[in-house]
Amino acid sequence: MSDEMETQLMRWPLRLLLQGLDARDESAVHRCLAHATRQLQHPWQVVHDGDAEVVLVAGLEIDTVRGMLEPPLVTLHLAPPSQDARALAWRTGRAPGTVLASPLQPDALVEALECAEHRFAGEAPATFTQLSAGCRFRLRRWPPSGLMWEDNDNLRLASFMLTRSLDLEKLMRLSNVAADKCVAFITRMANANLLHLEPVGAIGEPASMPSPSPGEAPRAEAPPRRATRASGGLLNALRRRLGLASR
């Protein structure tokens, strides 16, 4: 795929469908999208019917959406002002970051839309098994409060992971936080696409090349291969959106 075509696909508009929000929260959505253009990879359109990549609904109940043929990538719920969003998500078994507090917080909405963009591009969050297979990880930025759960151990883990790349063993040793809590925190950060991963061998000196034998001309180093971004998931998502998936 050419760079120009990939850029066009990455700027494909995505849709955010609002259901049941009052005027204040709907205005907050529009303000948030207007100020988040640098953080989000795609332009987002606010709609009230038809297919959409993300649905944001007031409360936990979802009405039938007119014209929606495909399920959204993510469904977000705006908790009533009288309820604690974190406790509501825990009690109802919903994924972290999918129940938002009212009044709507811009950071929480942007985080949710970023996760949807990764899913749209076919970039599934890494599992902890993949993370722990010798990888080091570092936080891309400070996590939103909804993922920290107002827990001192989580604050401590985030402080270490924000400034350096660590593997699980070193994180446990430096933070003095129990293994199961470290695992839970790392996995939650991965699911929110907040981790930068460094595979084994990414840090340190490059491996030395063997010396040529006497009389043998040294081999020319191969030019570095340009990294290409996997685009199959993105193309498949676009084909489904255009009704071309079966062709």
Side-chain angles (χ1 to χ4, degrees):
M1 176 184 292
S2 67
D3 290 345
E4 182 179 358
M5 182 180 296
E6 184 174 340
T7 300
Q8 290 176 353
L9 292 177
M10 284 305 302
R11 294 299 297 169
W12 187 277
L14 302 182
R15 292 159 296 194
L16 171 62
L17 188 148
L18 306 183
Q19 186 181 88
L21 272 66
D22 60 25
R24 179 194 61 181
D25 287 323
E26 188 161 338
S27 296
V29 170
H30 285 279
R31 288 196 303 271
C32 175
L33 294 179
H35 290 88
T37 54
R38 292 186 178 180
Q39 293 172 259
L40 298 171
Q41 296 179 358
H42 294 261
W44 284 83
Q45 301 172 345
V46 175
V47 298
H48 294 87
D49 56 40
D51 279 325
E53 282 66 41
V54 176
V55 171
L56 174 58
V57 57
L60 300 180
E61 299 298 326
I62 303 176
D63 296 329
T64 301
V65 178
R66 183 180 60 188
M68 178 170 283
L69 303 177
E70 296 284 341
L73 296 171
V74 180
T75 298
L76 305 174
H77 300 272
L78 188 62
S82 59
Q83 297 190 31
D84 180 85
R86 180 168 60 92
L88 187 60
W90 181 271
R91 189 168 63 249
T92 58
R94 284 171 168 78
T98 61
V99 179
L100 309 180
S102 180
L104 187 63
Q105 302 300 310
D107 288 347
L109 179 59
V110 171
E111 291 287 349
L113 296 181
E114 284 182 314
C115 290
E117 289 181 337
H118 285 287
R119 292 190 185 186
F120 180 74
E123 301 171 1
T127 65
F128 179 73
T129 301
Q130 294 168 320
L131 295 178
S132 61
C135 287
R136 301 184 185 188
F137 25 82
R138 177 171 48 83
L139 282 172
R140 299 179 187 275
R141 57 182 177 277
W142 189 260
S145 59
L147 295 179
M148 299 295 283
W149 296 355
E150 299 178 2
D151 184 282
N152 288 333
D153 284 342
N154 289 337
L155 293 171
R156 186 172 178 80
L157 291 171
S159 298
F160 280 108
M161 293 173 60
L162 188 66
T163 57
R164 68 197 83 178
S165 296
L166 301 169
D167 57 26
L168 176 60
E169 182 180 356
K170 192 166 185 179
L171 178 64
M172 290 168 52
R173 185 171 67 251
L174 290 175
S175 66
N176 199 28
V177 174
D180 58 342
K181 205 159 190 178
C182 289
V183 169
F185 183 80
I186 294 169
T187 305
R188 191 160 67 251
M189 296 302 106
N191 288 336
N193 292 295
L194 291 178
L195 282 189
H196 172 71
L197 305 183
E198 293 178 355
V200 179
I203 299 179
E205 295 297 323
S208 58
M209 297 295 291
S211 301
S213 58
E216 179 183 356
R219 296 181 180 179
E221 293 187 2
R225 294 183 63 185
R226 188 168 142 226
T228 57
R229 185 177 175 277
S231 57
L234 180 59
L235 285 173
N236 289 336
L238 292 176
R239 287 175 62 84
R240 286 196 302 271
R241 178 167 173 175
L242 294 172
L244 301 175
S246 60
R247 299 182 185 180

